[in-house]
């Protein structure tokens, strides 16, 4: 079995393929489009999201990773949906006179795609969840989430209100979780009709800014969370959280809190190991001292650094969607930096090598067994 | 590439969108304003409609046009008149990055 990586960048997608996870071929497709997410459905079709500041969002599909076709439908709000003016001001809809395009709510980026239980899900900004039950031919808003009481009080951070994390329970189609920047982490137990905030015990500054959450869908209630303010673990589906930072580099944050800062969080299901890429706080956002490092926890409590093959002079960051595992045995891991390099490990992070470079800013990495 | 009778408006696509139309540089649409022509093209080519119009049905604000040598911004497109045989260049407003 081989692996294919879909690497979303600011100016296209790099498709990297390998039969042995050692030698890689690379092709740069969808050139010119900012590629922000991808997913593969259970029939083997790959979907890639593009999010252009000029031409909006769209989805491309491929059955062979060589030819790509744009779908005629994409997640879109209704004309009557009301937007968040602060989100608009920060992220979208500024025309050249600096006037705000107030009133409406828009999809300005597809942050994540997820496939589960025969459906496709898209997480977008401005903070929304959409579902397709016909392989992307049409998309419907999940109004239980998108129109929930209290939404109007969400205060976006500099990156706006992005729904960037979608997790589903393999054993319960009615249970899922989503994470929204600057708003928090939410769970539904009834298929999306109603949602509960799951942030108790997580340090907040104004609101909760969840960066990324990972789990094993077959052991869904155990969650690993990278928050803006630290790393946490839940054993009960998010009802309660405890700090999980032993061994992680902690640093001073803007509000004086000391914690471990970073973006991606991924989980290898076979080994039960979890991986994070710490950065030196929210003021600097690059690896401490320039030493790029992936940290691994095998026991849900302690973390250990993995640096074999990673550069010691790296001042680039790793964005929340830019790390993935292939879930093979042993687990392969892959991540991309904002400086356009991709690093791969075929042994759960014990050693790394650079498999691609000189790419545009990397915004997403997804791995698929072929 | 065919050139229909002059009753239509020719619209030059930017390179990024030409790939969606099999590499075609020019499309033809009908209408008496830029907005109407784009709406006609969107009906004929739904893949393009996503890229022309936002959720409110307005032209995406970073789109601009060149008509008779003059730049026409998206907010002016609704009322900017075109005549049969005219040519439009669809572009994006200039920005860094």
């Amino acid at each position: 079995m081989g692996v294919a990586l879909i690497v979303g960048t600011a100016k296209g997608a790099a498709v990297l393929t390998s039969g042995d996870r050692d030698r890689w071929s690379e092709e740069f497709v969808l050139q010119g489009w900012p590629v922000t997410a991808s997913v593969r459905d259970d029939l083997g079709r790959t979907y890639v999201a593009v999010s252009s500041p000029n031409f909006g969002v769209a989805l491309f599909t491929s059955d062979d990773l060589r030819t790509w076709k744009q779908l005629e439908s994409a997640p879109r709000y209704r004309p009557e949906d009301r937007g968040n003016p602060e989100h608009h001001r920060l992220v979208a809809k500024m025309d050249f006179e600096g006037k705000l395009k107030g009133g409406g709510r828009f999809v300005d980026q597809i942050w994540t795609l997820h496939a589960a239980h025969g459906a496709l899900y898209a997480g977008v900004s401005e903070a929304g969840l959409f579902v397709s039950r016909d392989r992307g031919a049409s998309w419907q808003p999940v109004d239980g989430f998108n129109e929930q009481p209290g939404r109007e009080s969400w205060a976006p951070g500099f990156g706006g209100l992005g729904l960037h994390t979608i997790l589903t329970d393999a054993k319960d189609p009615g249970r899922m979780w989503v994470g929204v920047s600057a708003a928090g982490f939410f769970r539904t137990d009834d298929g999306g009709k109603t949602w509960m905030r799951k942030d108790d015990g997580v340090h907040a500054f104004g609101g909760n800014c969840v960066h990324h959450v990972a789990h094993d869908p077959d052991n869904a209630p155990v969650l690993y969370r990278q928050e803006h303010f630290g790393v946490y673990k839940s054993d009960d589906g998010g009802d309660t959280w405890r700090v999980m930072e032993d061994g992680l580099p902690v640093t001073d944050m803007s509000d004086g809190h000391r914690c471990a800062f970073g973006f991606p969080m991924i989980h290898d299901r076979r080994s039960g190991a979890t991986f994070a890429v710490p950065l030196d706080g929210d003021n600097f956002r690059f690896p401490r001292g320039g030493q790029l490092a992936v940290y691994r926890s095998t026991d849900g409590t302690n973390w250990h650094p993995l640096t074999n093959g990673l550069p010691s002079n790296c001042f680039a960051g790793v964005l929340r969607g830019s790390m993935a595992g292939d879930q093979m045995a042993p687990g392969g891991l892959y991540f991309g930096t904002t400086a356009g390099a991709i690093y791969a490990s075929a042994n759960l992070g014990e050693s790394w090598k650079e498999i691609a470079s000189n790419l545009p800013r990397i915004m997403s990495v997804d791995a698929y067994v072929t | 590439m065919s050139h229909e009778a002059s009753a239509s408006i020719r619209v030059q696509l930017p390179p990024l969108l030409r790939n969606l139309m099999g590499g075609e540089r020019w499309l033809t649409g009908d209408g008496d304003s830029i907005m109407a022509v784009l709406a006609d093209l969107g009906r004929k080519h739904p893949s393009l409609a996503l890229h022309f119009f936002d959720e409110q049905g307005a032209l995406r604000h970073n789109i601009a046009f060149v008509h008779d040598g003059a730049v026409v911004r998206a907010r002016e497109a609704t009322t900017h008149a075109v005549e049969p045989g005219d040519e439009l260049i669809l572009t994006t407003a200039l920005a860094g990055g």
Side-chain angles (χ1 to χ4, degrees):
Chain A
M1 287 187 294
V3 173
L5 304 180
I6 306 292
V7 179
T9 83
K11 305 227 186 250
V15 178
L16 286 83
T17 54
S18 173
D20 58 7
R21 300 193 297 181
D22 182 44
R23 292 159 296 176
W24 294 84
S25 300
E26 179 184 330
E27 192 180 348
F28 200 65
V29 301
L30 300 174
Q31 294 181 12
W33 291 102
V35 175
T36 51
S38 81
V39 74
R40 175 170 287 186
D41 69 16
D42 54 7
L43 297 177
R45 173 165 294 169
T46 304
Y47 302 75
V48 164
V50 301
S51 305
S52 165
N54 295 322
F55 298 115
V57 306
L59 291 157
F60 287 82
T61 64
S62 177
D63 293 324
D64 59 8
L65 299 182
R66 283 188 288 278
T67 54
W68 296 86
K69 183 178 184 324
Q70 187 192 297
L71 293 176
E72 293 180 355
S73 183
R76 286 167 77 92
Y77 284 112
R78 297 165 290 235
E80 62 270 25
D81 290 332
R82 298 297 88 194
N84 182 310
E86 191 64 8
H87 175 87
H88 287 185
R89 185 184 73 80
L90 288 166
V91 175
K93 307 308 170 196
M94 292 290 289
D95 70 19
F96 286 87
E97 278 73 46
K99 297 193 182 79
L100 298 177
K101 185 169 181 171
R105 193 189 305 166
F106 305 88
V107 175
D108 51 76
Q109 182 168 330
I110 296 174
W111 281 84
T112 187
L113 294 169
H114 185 82
H117 301 297
L120 291 174
Y121 294 91
V124 308
S125 59
E126 179 190 331
L129 181 65
F130 289 78
V131 62
S132 173
R133 302 192 188 281
D134 53 11
R135 304 185 84 196
S138 64
W139 291 86
Q140 293 77 46
V142 179
D143 283 336
F145 181 82
N146 299 350
E147 309 307 322
Q148 65 180 284
R151 179 199 174 96
E152 62 281 355
S153 68
W154 295 350
F158 188 71
L161 293 169
L163 197 157
H164 52 66
T165 294
I166 300 172
L167 303 175
T168 48
D169 188 332
K171 298 173 184 170
D172 181 357
R175 172 172 278 208
M176 61 190 299
W177 296 260
V178 300
V180 180
S181 294
F185 193 59
F186 302 82
R187 188 181 86 210
T188 180
D189 292 335
D190 58 8
K193 296 186 189 63
T194 60
W195 294 79
M196 301 162 281
R197 179 182 285 282
K198 294 297 171 187
D199 297 317
D200 286 349
V202 179
H203 182 84
F205 180 74
N208 278 97
C209 190
V210 55
H211 282 187
H212 206 221
V213 185
H215 74 164
D216 175 353
D218 288 309
N219 187 20
V222 180
L223 301 160
Y224 303 88
R225 173 174 180 160
Q226 173 72 70
E227 182 79 0
H228 185 104
F229 293 101
V231 174
Y232 297 81
K233 181 173 184 263
S234 174
D235 292 303
D236 55 12
D239 290 336
T240 59
W241 298 90
R242 63 174 172 82
V243 175
M244 180 187 157
E245 293 185 342
D246 290 350
L248 283 175
V250 295
T251 189
D252 288 335
M253 301 290 281
S254 290
D255 70 342
H257 189 66
R258 281 184 64 80
C259 61
F261 179 86
F263 286 93
M265 182 72 68
I266 68 163
H267 186 73
D268 179 77
R269 295 166 206 164
R270 288 178 195 268
S271 67
T274 309
F275 300 84
V277 185
L279 301 177
D280 197 12
D282 60 2
N283 273 218
F284 304 108
R285 303 184 183 228
F286 50 70
R288 176 175 292 177
Q291 175 60 65
L292 185 56
V294 175
Y295 278 68
R296 179 178 68 198
S297 175
T298 56
D299 61 4
T301 298
N302 300 289
W303 296 87
H304 303 280
L306 306 166
T307 59
N308 185 359
L310 294 178
S312 59
N313 60 344
C314 175
F315 294 91
V318 179
L319 301 180
R320 75 183 89 238
S322 295
M323 189 170 192
D326 58 26
Q327 310 296 339
M328 291 173 72
L333 303 167
Y334 314 89
F335 71 92
T337 72
T338 54
I342 301 280
Y343 296 91
S345 168
N347 52 19
L348 282 177
E350 289 295 326
S351 61
W352 297 87
K353 73 172 188 177
E354 184 182 270
I355 62 170
S357 62
N358 293 316
L359 292 171
R361 177 182 176 92
I362 291 168
M363 297 158 74
S364 67
V365 174
D366 294 284
Y368 306 105
V369 176
T370 58
Chain B
M1 185 266 303
S2 64
H3 182 189
E4 293 188 11
S6 61
S8 295
I9 314 296
R10 297 179 77 220
V11 180
Q12 180 182 273
L13 295 178
L16 192 62
L17 299 185
R18 287 176 208 164
N19 293 337
L20 302 179
M21 296 289 107
E24 285 288 345
R25 188 185 187 103
W26 293 93
L27 298 179
T28 53
D30 297 308
D32 57 5
S33 69
I34 292 180
M35 182 73 162
V37 173
L38 269 283
D40 184 52
L41 289 180
R43 281 188 293 271
K44 291 172 179 169
H45 309 285
S47 297
L48 288 181
L50 282 180
H51 300 299
F52 291 164
F53 302 105
D54 65 22
E55 282 90 329
Q56 301 285 304
L59 283 172
R60 294 194 179 277
H61 65 105
N62 270 355
I63 287 177
F65 303 86
V66 180
H67 178 230
D68 283 342
V71 174
V72 182
R73 297 190 185 279
R75 64 179 179 277
E76 300 159 344
T78 303
T79 55
H80 188 92
V82 293
E83 294 180 359
D86 281 357
E87 290 188 348
L88 292 172
I89 299 174
L90 194 162
T91 181
T92 54
L94 294 179

